[in-house]
Amino acid sequence: MNYTVAVRSLCEFTAKVGDLDLRFTPSPTAQEGIAGHKVVAARRPAHYESEVSLSGAWQTLLVRGRADGYDPHANRLEEIKTFRGDLARMPDNHRQLHWAQAKIYGWLLCQARGLAELTVALVYFDIASQEETVIQTMWTAGELQAFFEQQCGRFLAWAQQELAHRSRRDEALRILTFPHGSFRTGQRPLSEAVYKAAASARCLMAQAPTGIGKTIGTIFPVLKAMPGQQLDKVFFLTAKTSGRRVALDSLALLDSATQAQPMRVIELVARANACEFPENACHGDACPLAKGFYDRLPMARQAALDGAGGAGSTQTALLDQASVRTVALAHDICPYYLGQELVRWTDVAVADYNYYFDYSAMLHGLTVANEWRVALLIDEAHNLVERARAMYSASLDQAHLRQVRRTAPAALKTPLQRLQRSWTGLPPTGAAGAALPAYSVHATIPASFQTTLQQALAAIGEFLAEHPAETAPALLDFYFDALHFSRLVDSFGKHSLFDISTAPADDGRRAGTILRTLAIRNAVPAPFLKGRFASAHTATLFSATLSPEQFYRDTLGLPENAVWTDVPSPFVADQLAVRVVDSISTRYAHRRESLLPIVELIARQHDETPGNYLAFFSSFDYLQQVAELFRQRHPGIAVWEQARRMDQAARTAFLDRFVAGGCGIGFAVLGGSFGEGIDLPGDRLIGAFIATLGLPQVNPVNEQMMQKMEDIFAAGYDYTYLYPGIRKVVQAAGRVIRTQADRGVVYLIDDRFLRPQIQRLLPGWWVVQRAAAGDQRASATLSDLLTS
């Protein structure tokens, strides 16, 4: 059996040496790289061949890839590399890697076309100046063949290890059994749907109720499908840290069910959470864990995998954040970048959405480069819409530019001044003495501003490359913000808005100075995500709130043949009393009048059936007003509140108040940390009060988003306000019933909950009944439920 490896992966394994060095950054994005390659190819003569597919074997290795270009008249093969900054400052080990790739392609071309010799060229293309630097050397076919065989020889033992691992892994997965004695209600149809989607190479949208075990119910079938579908990787993608933990626990459970299962599982975390020396730059002169990184990587890599389904392993060792850190520090290398290297050799990666869907996402890039067959499991997929919008949105603050200009080095004064003038001159400029509008939307981004921004970026990039140790944090932050903005300018279209917000300067330097914030706001991420789904063999998006189906199809860019399943709930109406209090309006205009009725409703319910409850509100201000009044009128009932910007310790402390058998009210914001993704089974939580429809705030930005949705989908209000709002309501209510043994009550506080268009969006197993604010019978019914 042959082991197939991409040219790039082979060279990164065998030819990377020395320090980890990120000073020659930021590198162009994949899109910028593609555009740069096209520019270079367009400059070549008509007989020039682009993207030349090549492959060659050596013993049990099959090496394949696409050479960037070949000129048969000049007999010259080109390896094109896009870059920013001063090419002379490129680290030697980067150049060495590039030559290795070029020479491998050189031999594959000589072999394919019977060439006796070949000119091999590195073509460095500066994406800012659009200039090329060419470095070339003539080699004989024999010299190139010797280099090829040398690299293959260095990789062969590892390839044989990988082949053995893959064989053991697939055999173990064929006999893998479900770790529980039986499936929960609803879990089997979910698992069957996931397996069928994987077997037919399709995308699945699965709406499945909370509490049935969706995580293990999706991981198990896709693992079972891996051998038959020849899947290389599974990416379990989450929106929150809690989702990663549940996935890792489920994978550990599957391991315990099959002791011989040689699975390699890795948790990928954000750089900020893994960096040991956050104050240091990422290069060997500044960080001890970057010094000699690639020299020590082979031993660290082997040590990590030996404990994760490697040659000496008989079971899974989860390479979670702590495990990766332990291995990395034992070998004096960076934990974050060790994780990035290990993901190439693992079977399952558990990571945040952005690792696959972001603009320059690592997992997607590796999938495409290595032609992996991957399965995506997208946890709590209703969150992907807003998260993807954020990935493909950007803003630039003129106050930030002013701050950078004050301390900028002399070499940057002129380009930053030009950018300032161009910024100030953006429409609308207004008549003399007239006030500028506070908010305005524009169909296009002026070409003159784009040019000035690119010139400023080129100047900053050159300065950063020449003075890597003299970089002010404000300048670097502005540079990265501007780079991201510039990239989105290139892809700007009807899927996004370009708007300008104005506000007076508050630094006291010049009275009457108006500053502008520029924003590209993505409304429909579908055009960006469509290619990400196309790169996967199969994808399953699952959530308890994935309807209306068409909303997610439209906004996420799912394949046309994506299938939908709505898993029946295991819960019954008798478990949850759902009461609409239509005598209270929570509209902003009626908020003051609503405070006392809400307080008394919560207190009556607690007095009738003591226990733990959550009360959700549309904002922190609203929450605080109700909580303060509640304390004044009912000091004997325990109260705890969600606060702004709570850290993990504070969030944990909040949840720890919900003890079994306890009594009290937790006040929280709908759509926040406690509105989804928390598990409080049994009598840790027996009820919830939802004093809002969850509708996004009406403001100029959301009104423009609504217009955009109306123009594209003819569903502006529903897509912008109604569906996102009710989804948050259903998620919050879902905290109450977590198992088939749970009982509880949910109060929906607002007259609008009785509207038919709202009721259609609520779970089908709910039986919603109308209750006046002071109706004692609702509480009596709940008491009967809890004591039955």
Side-chain angles (χ1 to χ4, degrees):
M1 180 178 179
N2 284 340
Y3 184 91
T4 301
V5 62
V7 170
R8 179 173 177 176
S9 294
L10 172 65
C11 294
E12 287 179 339
F13 188 94
T14 63
K16 272 190 170 181
V17 295
D19 297 351
L20 175 68
D21 193 339
L22 302 186
R23 282 176 289 189
F24 197 71
T25 54
S27 60
T29 64
Q31 289 80 2
E32 289 170 331
I34 292 170
H37 280 63
K38 289 180 178 178
V39 171
V40 173
R43 294 172 176 175
R44 300 300 186 257
H47 58 261
Y48 185 81
E49 302 174 30
S50 297
E51 297 291 316
V52 183
S53 293
L54 296 167
S55 65
W58 187 78
Q59 295 192 23
T60 56
L61 285 182
L62 176 63
V63 182
R64 66 186 183 188
R66 290 187 179 90
D68 292 328
Y70 174 59
D71 185 337
H73 291 190
N75 192 30
R76 185 172 83 166
L77 178 138
E78 295 185 335
E79 176 71 8
I80 302 169
K81 298 296 183 184
T82 54
F83 74 98
R84 281 191 177 88
D86 182 359
L87 186 60
R89 295 183 177 274
M90 175 181 286
D92 290 340
N93 59 353
H94 289 206
R95 182 74 50 79
Q96 179 177 329
L97 176 62
H98 299 162
W99 272 125
Q101 292 177 242
K103 291 168 73 175
I104 295 290
Y105 283 125
W107 163 242
L108 296 178
L109 184 68
C110 287
Q111 182 184 50
R113 304 200 180 187
L115 303 176
E117 61 183 15
L118 178 69
T119 298
V120 179
L122 295 179
V123 179
Y124 289 103
F125 179 76
D126 188 330
I127 64 168
S129 68
Q130 305 282 291
E131 295 179 353
E132 298 176 32
T133 301
V134 180
I135 307 170
Q136 64 183 38
T137 301
M138 172 75 77
W139 273 291
T140 66
E143 291 170 328
L144 294 172
Q145 180 182 7
F147 181 81
F148 171 77
E149 292 179 353
Q150 180 190 53
Q151 303 309 303
C152 288
R154 293 176 179 174
F155 186 70
L156 183 61
W158 186 269
Q160 292 170 340
Q161 171 184 296
E162 291 304 289
L163 284 171
H165 165 72
R166 179 68 170 257
S167 177
R168 294 194 309 271
R169 183 202 78 177
D170 286 353
E171 182 58 33
L173 292 180
R174 288 188 183 97
I175 62 173
L176 177 66
T177 58
F178 195 63
H180 300 296
S182 61
F183 287 92
R184 296 183 191 176
T185 303
Q187 208 171 37
R188 179 180 287 277
L190 172 62
S191 292
E192 290 176 350
V194 174
Y195 185 86
K196 290 176 182 177
S200 58
R202 300 178 76 176
C203 179
L204 170 69
M205 304 169 65
Q207 180 167 269
T210 294
I212 69 167
K214 292 191 291 294
T215 301
I216 201 163
T218 54
I219 292 176
F220 173 72
V222 85
L223 292 181
K224 291 292 292 182
M226 286 186 83
Q229 296 304 305
Q230 298 182 340
L231 296 178
D232 298 302
K233 313 281 183 188
V234 174
F235 298 151
F236 190 99
L237 306 172
T238 74
K240 299 181 178 180
T241 303
S242 58
R244 293 205 310 269
R245 189 67 259 168
V246 172
L248 292 169
D249 290 345
S250 296
L251 287 158
L253 182 63
L254 285 165
D255 171 46
S256 65
T258 305
Q259 289 297 316
Q261 179 187 339
M263 288 289 293
R264 299 171 177 172
V265 180
I266 190 166
E267 178 188 19
L268 297 175
V269 300
R271 179 173 166 178
N273 295 329
C275 183
E276 295 290 318
F277 299 99
E279 70 282 1
N280 293 0
C282 290
H283 58 80
D285 294 334
C287 179
L289 300 183
K291 188 72 173 176
F293 177 90
Y294 292 108
D295 300 327
R296 293 191 292 275
L297 173 62
M299 293 293 290
R301 179 171 53 209
Q302 189 68 64
L305 296 186
D306 280 348
S313 174
T314 59
Q315 61 182 2
T316 307
L318 297 180
L319 289 167
D320 59 10
Q321 180 181 358
S323 299
V324 172
R325 180 176 184 270
T326 297
V327 173
L329 297 185
H331 292 82
D332 294 322
I333 64 173
C334 173
Y336 175 73
Y337 285 101
L338 175 59
Q340 304 252 314
E341 293 290 335
L342 289 174
V343 75
R344 304 161 191 266
W345 316 109
T346 52
D347 305 302
V348 182
V350 180
D352 187 86
Y353 292 162
N354 68 324
Y355 267 98
Y356 190 84
F357 290 109
D358 205 353
Y359 206 97
S360 54
M362 181 194 70
L363 290 180
H364 178 256
L366 289 173
T367 297
V368 173
N370 294 286
E371 300 182 27
W372 287 337
R373 288 166 68 89
V374 304
L376 308 180
L377 295 176
I378 304 168
D379 180 38
E380 300 294 355
H382 60 271
N383 287 307
L384 185 56
V385 176
E386 284 303 319
R387 285 290 304 277
R389 282 172 173 166
M391 293 174 197
Y392 296 98
S393 298
S395 64
L396 285 177
D397 187 348
Q398 198 169 15
H400 195 179
L401 174 60
R402 293 180 82 199
Q403 177 190 2
V404 169
R405 285 179 57 222
R406 292 188 196 118
T407 58
L412 298 180
K413 292 289 188 182
T414 298
L416 291 176
Q417 179 60 35
R418 288 173 182 159
L419 179 60
Q420 169 72 11
R421 287 198 299 267
S422 180
W423 198 318
T424 303
L426 286 169
T429 55
L436 293 174
Y439 179 80
S440 58
V441 176
H442 307 269
T444 61
I445 303 169
S448 58
F449 178 78
Q450 296 183 43
T451 300
T452 308
L453 179 61
Q454 287 294 340
Q455 291 170 345
L457 284 171
I460 298 173
E462 183 176 347
F463 177 84
L464 293 177
E466 294 176 354
H467 305 85
E470 302 175 18
T471 304
L475 176 62
L476 196 60
D477 289 345
F478 179 78
Y479 181 52
F480 284 118
D481 289 346
L483 272 178
H484 183 47
F485 189 92
S486 177
R487 290 163 181 165
L488 293 179
V489 166
D490 294 337
S491 58
F492 184 72
K494 67 177 184 178
H495 48 69
S496 299
L497 299 168
F498 172 56
D499 61 44
I500 302 177
S501 303
T502 63
D506 60 1
D507 57 7
R509 292 173 64 88
R510 290 180 58 186
T513 299
I514 299 297
L515 299 180
R516 295 174 161 192
T517 298
L518 315 180
I520 295 175
R521 303 180 196 271
N522 178 253
V524 184
F528 298 103
L529 303 187
K530 185 175 182 179
R532 304 304 169 99
F533 286 112
S535 297
H537 175 78
T538 181
T540 293
L541 300 89
F542 58 98
S543 168
T545 51
L546 208 56
S547 63
E549 172 189 350
Q550 195 60 45
F551 170 72
Y552 291 98
R553 286 184 181 273
D554 287 343
T555 54
L556 294 178
L558 302 179
E560 290 186 6
N561 67 347
V563 293
W564 161 270
T565 186
D566 192 353
V567 178
S569 174
F571 309 133
V572 296
D574 288 346
Q575 289 183 252
L576 183 68
V578 182
R579 303 285 183 256
V580 174
V581 182
D582 65 336
S583 60
I584 301 175
S585 167
T586 62
R587 297 170 180 84
Y588 185 79
H590 305 149
R591 188 153 299 173
R592 180 173 296 276
E593 291 80 5
S594 73
L595 300 180
L596 182 58
I598 291 174
V599 164
E600 296 308 311
L601 171 67
I602 295 173
R604 277 197 302 272
Q605 176 59 45
H606 184 273
D607 288 346
E608 174 67 25
T609 310
N612 292 323
Y613 295 83
L614 269 168
F616 293 98
F617 300 86
S618 57
S619 68
F620 281 104
D621 288 342
Y622 198 6
L623 177 158
Q624 289 163 358
Q625 291 176 47
V626 175
E628 181 180 356
L629 184 59
F630 191 94
R631 285 192 176 94
Q632 292 174 4
R633 296 184 62 85
H634 302 281
I637 300 176
V639 169
W640 54 98
E641 299 176 39
Q642 178 182 354
R644 289 179 171 88
R645 294 178 291 278
M646 294 175 81
D647 59 20
Q648 184 59 51
R651 291 194 295 270
T652 299
F654 181 93
L655 293 175
D656 287 346
R657 298 289 299 271
F658 293 89
V659 297
C663 293
I665 315 297
F667 286 79
V669 172
L670 191 70
S673 301
F674 308 110
E676 62 177 272
I678 62 168
D679 196 20
L680 300 170
D683 62 358
R684 290 187 66 192
L685 181 71
I686 65 170
F689 304 87
I690 303 175
T692 172
L693 264 71
L695 305 181
Q697 184 183 44
V698 176
N699 57 38
V701 172
N702 283 336
E703 289 296 282
Q704 287 296 324
M705 296 284 274
M706 182 177 72
Q707 186 60 54
K708 179 70 69 174
M709 292 298 196
E710 184 66 29
D711 293 343
I712 298 174
F713 303 117
Y717 177 79
D718 289 350
Y719 276 30
T720 306
Y721 292 104
L722 184 60
Y723 297 159
I726 300 304
R727 185 257 302 159
K728 289 185 286 186
V729 170
V730 175
Q731 281 286 337
R735 302 314 95 201
V736 178
I737 301 299
R738 308 298 293 175
T739 73
Q740 289 176 274
D742 289 348
R743 296 291 187 272
V745 64
V746 168
Y747 281 95
L748 305 177
I749 306 173
D750 196 282
D751 59 286
R752 290 168 289 180
F753 279 113
L754 290 177
R755 293 178 180 176
Q757 65 268 37
I758 304 292
Q759 299 256 324
R760 285 194 294 268
L761 299 174
L762 302 178
W765 65 275
W766 286 9
V767 176
V768 180
Q769 298 186 22
R770 181 178 182 180
D775 192 346
Q776 296 294 329
R777 289 173 296 174
S779 296
T781 302
L782 175 62
S783 180
D784 293 340
L785 282 170
L786 293 172
T787 56
S788 63

